[in-house]
Amino acid sequence: MPNQNIHPGLKIAALIGFILFIALQSASLIQAVTHRDAPTMTRAEAAAAAEWFVRDALDLSEDAELRSFAVYLAEQEAIGYLNRSGSAESGDGRLGTVFPLELYRVEVVDAENDAVHFIDINPFTGEPAEWEFYSDWDVSSVLVSGAEAESAAREALAAYGWDGTELRLVSSETGDGALEFEARDVSFGDAFVRLAVKVGNEGGIFALAANWNVPEAYAALAERQDAAASLLGSAGLAASGLLQAAAFIYALARMKEARWGRGAVMALIFGLFYCIYNLNMYPAWKASFYGWADGGSALEGSAGLTDGAVAASMITFLMMVNSFTMAMAFGMYFSAVSGDLLARRGLPPVWPAPSEPGYRRSIVSGMAKGYMFAPLLLGVQSVLMLLAGWIWQYWETINPLTSPKNLAYPLLLPLIAWCAAVEEEVVFRLFAIPALAGALAWIARKLGRSRRRPPGEGAPYPAAALAIAAVASSMIWALGHVQYPIYPFYTRFVEVTILGLLFTYIFMRHGLFAAIFTHATFDLVWSAFALAVYFPSAESIAAAIFYLATPALAAGLAMLRKRSGPKPVPPAEVPAS
């Protein structure tokens, strides 16, 4: 059975890890609360602000029926450049607030006037930052140009803080009737903002849009980094798929030996939670569908798309995404079945069955160790990222498509923590380690470099094969994390590979339950911080506390599972001679 005792040294290590985590993350957490990483508005509040702006700007009555939908966007490339160059630190606090790098883009539909408007709301001020009004009007008849238009445009830009920059007119004869200005500021570094303004015949601003432009050298660097990360991410996805396909084949080949109930409940929970999470990402999927993943201006909105076309496309897309999720759930299930077979052949006991003695105790022990190992690993991760900053000077940006601010119901964010914990520990630890170790041992025997008996015939997997398998499985797991918005791309690869080796130790020494509970608690801590920082409210704090308690609740529910299979038969009494 897995080691079920909690060594006093683990408690001390957990405390040290927690102190390191708090100490090394406190600066970034304080910045997240006080600076641009924590917009003060919700999606619903941004939608209401956009509706008010449309009513006021177009003189619509309060009874006019408007429908709105908001998505969160970020100027991903500009944020990356500014973080890498340190230019933002030389500003006076206006960058990210007066000049927002994060926005809520709100689609406001006025069905009565057959119009769709796209309004970008500054999440710090609640004021519109960019917009363009779309309708069936003859736009050319309402736009003006010349000195009058430039004066009105400058007045509008001044109202939104752009007069504080080095502002110059670069074009007054664009094809769509917009005047173009270029804005530069010390806090922008070598980046600049191209502003497009359309002025109506009564001096009103028909459209205002801002496009961030970074230096070509940085744009090329980011493109190379993204391409490499995409290639490695695809390789990791392919390797994961091959592992799960191998698990399927192995389970069928050992059909009579397999315990087909193993992992079924976990696979069902994974599939259900992940499908719910996919639906919860609807705002992010919609932003991606419109081509807004990298930010861009409101003038690049998708006017002309009907609600029906958008809805049909999104429904089809979500069906495809959830079909892929269910394929992952099946792959995880067969990984559990085959991993159980392989682990019993050549590993120490790592996953007791409900019918085996010590099953319930291993759950409770795994949950308790999860609460101990998680803060230790959080401390290790913080140290690793500190070292990465010294060695590689890594920098971050924001991917709005994976941001919790693009969830329909942010309080469901921690669901993904349980999905990752269950699926990844089953696939990359329970199955991949013995499968790769067994394959390496088989190759060694075929090459005549080993005379050891195959696992399952009284011999465990060779230590060297297990070591190589642990590194390989951790590297495959890490490939799935290289596309996070952190540069250089290999920063997360190295970090996650090291964390994978630590998870492997927990799995081998303390069992699968300890690895799953550690992984879940680790991710839940980050999810709880995200809820508390990005959505500060009593409701979010309560939800964060509840989710941090879910490992204990999950252990309690698992304990309720009825014991299956025959009861252990007591040894027969030996007659006294």
Side-chain angles (χ1 to χ4, degrees):
M1 298 297 294
N3 182 4
Q4 297 180 356
N5 298 318
I6 299 180
H7 193 278
L10 175 58
K11 298 178 182 179
I12 296 173
L15 178 61
I16 294 173
F18 181 73
I19 293 172
L20 284 172
F21 170 69
I22 294 299
L24 296 177
Q25 297 295 333
S26 59
S28 60
L29 292 174
I30 291 172
Q31 183 187 37
V33 173
T34 60
H35 196 43
R36 65 172 178 81
D37 291 334
T40 58
M41 299 185 73
T42 64
R43 289 177 50 255
E45 291 168 340
E51 286 190 18
W52 181 90
F53 175 69
V54 169
R55 292 181 192 278
D56 181 67
L58 301 182
D59 197 25
L60 300 179
S61 69
E62 294 184 2
D63 296 331
E65 184 177 348
L66 302 177
R67 291 183 290 108
S68 59
F69 189 86
V71 300
Y72 166 75
L73 301 181
E75 296 290 348
Q76 189 168 346
E77 192 174 58
I79 292 171
Y81 165 73
L82 293 167
N83 283 339
R84 183 173 188 261
S85 65
S87 300
E89 301 302 321
S90 62
D92 56 4
R94 293 179 301 160
L95 184 62
T97 52
V98 176
F99 313 130
L101 293 162
E102 301 169 69
L103 297 160
Y104 284 111
R105 180 157 297 168
V106 186
E107 178 186 30
V108 181
V109 179
D110 180 2
E112 182 178 348
N113 292 307
D114 192 24
V116 180
H117 314 295
F118 291 92
I119 316 297
D120 287 359
I121 297 295
N122 184 329
F124 298 95
T125 64
E127 296 291 330
E130 304 176 43
W131 65 88
E132 181 156 25
F133 300 120
Y134 290 98
S135 71
D136 59 355
W137 307 325
D138 180 4
V139 175
S140 61
S141 67
V142 299
L143 296 180
V144 297
S145 58
E148 180 185 357
E150 181 181 348
S151 176
R154 288 186 177 276
E155 183 179 345
L157 293 173
Y160 290 99
W162 291 101
D163 60 331
T165 64
E166 297 177 19
L167 191 66
R168 68 182 184 90
L169 180 69
V170 294
S171 176
S172 58
E173 298 295 336
T174 60
D176 59 357
L179 286 78
E180 289 193 354
F181 295 82
E182 184 178 288
R184 293 183 180 270
D185 189 80
V186 63
S187 64
F188 300 172
D190 291 328
F192 65 91
V193 182
R194 185 63 61 90
L195 298 159
V197 185
K198 295 181 181 180
V199 182
N201 57 10
E202 295 182 359
I205 304 303
F206 193 80
L208 187 156
N211 271 315
W212 285 83
N213 294 262
V214 301
E216 292 183 3
Y218 177 80
L221 171 64
E223 185 177 1
R224 291 194 301 270
Q225 290 281 325
D226 290 340
S230 178
L231 180 62
L232 291 175
S234 298
L237 182 63
S240 176
L242 288 174
L243 283 173
Q244 293 175 69
F248 174 75
I249 295 171
Y250 187 81
L252 294 184
R254 301 281 181 170
M255 184 177 295
K256 293 183 179 179
E257 303 172 46
R259 298 191 289 191
W260 292 98
R262 303 251 70 187
V265 173
M266 289 193 294
L268 286 172
I269 292 173
F270 166 79
L272 175 63
F273 279 13
Y274 215 122
C275 285
I276 292 173
Y277 193 80
N278 287 337
L279 296 175
N280 197 33
M281 285 182 66
Y282 179 80
W285 299 132
K286 188 167 186 177
S288 178
F289 176 77
Y290 275 150
W292 294 334
D294 296 321
S297 74
L299 271 65
E300 297 169 355
S302 297
L305 289 174
T306 65
D307 286 351
V310 172
S313 298
M314 291 299 298
I315 290 172
T316 302
F317 176 76
L318 286 171
M319 289 176 63
M320 292 174 59
V321 169
N322 280 342
S323 296
F324 179 75
T325 296
M326 295 312 298
M328 291 175 61
F330 278 109
M332 177 202 150
Y333 167 66
F334 284 104
S335 296
V337 172
S338 293
D340 176 59
L341 280 168
L342 291 165
R344 284 187 288 132
R345 286 171 61 84
L347 290 182
V350 292
W351 189 22
S355 59
E356 295 174 347
Y359 171 74
R360 286 175 171 78
R361 187 182 173 193
S362 67
I363 294 175
V364 175
S365 172
M367 176 269 296
K369 289 179 179 179
Y371 280 121
M372 294 291 104
F373 277 116
L376 173 59
L377 266 61
L378 287 166
V380 171
Q381 183 189 45
S382 299
V383 172
L384 289 173
M385 296 310 290
L386 178 67
L387 294 174
W390 290 342
I391 298 171
W392 297 313
Q393 292 79 46
Y394 82 91
W395 71 98
E396 301 180 56
T397 184
I398 297 175
N399 182 352
L401 300 186
T402 58
S403 170
K405 289 171 255 183
N406 248 338
L407 295 177
Y409 301 99
L411 294 184
L412 296 180
L413 167 66
L415 288 181
I416 200 66
W418 278 106
C419 292
V422 172
E423 195 260 352
E424 292 173 4
E425 293 308 313
V426 167
V427 173
F428 296 107
R429 252 65 76 180
L430 177 64
F431 174 72
I433 290 175
L436 294 173
L440 289 169
W442 180 83
I443 292 172
R445 288 195 304 273
K446 291 298 182 182
L447 295 176
R449 297 182 180 275
S450 174
R451 297 182 179 179
R452 297 184 60 163
R453 289 173 294 174
E457 297 181 10
Y461 295 108
L466 282 173
I468 296 173
V471 173
S473 63
S474 296
M475 292 175 70
I476 294 172
W477 179 51
L479 288 175
H481 296 75
V482 295
Q483 290 181 279
Y484 280 61
I486 294 179
Y487 301 98
F489 67 88
Y490 46 77
T491 303
R492 288 233 69 191
F493 177 74
V494 173
E495 171 222 343
V496 177
T497 297
I498 294 173
L499 291 177
L501 293 173
L502 295 176
F503 276 117
T504 298
Y505 166 78
I506 296 170
F507 166 71
M508 295 291 292
R509 185 75 174 84
H510 301 277
L512 179 65
F513 289 130
I516 289 176
F517 280 116
T518 299
H519 197 150
T521 306
F522 181 95
D523 287 353
L524 285 167
V525 169
W526 282 115
S527 297
F529 269 119
L531 288 179
V533 170
Y534 295 134
F535 312 99
S537 67
E539 184 182 28
S540 295
I541 300 298
I545 294 172
F546 167 77
Y547 280 116
L548 289 174
T550 54
L553 297 175
L557 290 173
M559 294 269 298
L560 297 176
R561 184 176 179 182
K562 292 183 178 180
R563 185 171 176 166
S564 59
K567 296 182 179 180
V569 179
E573 294 185 6
V574 179
S577 56

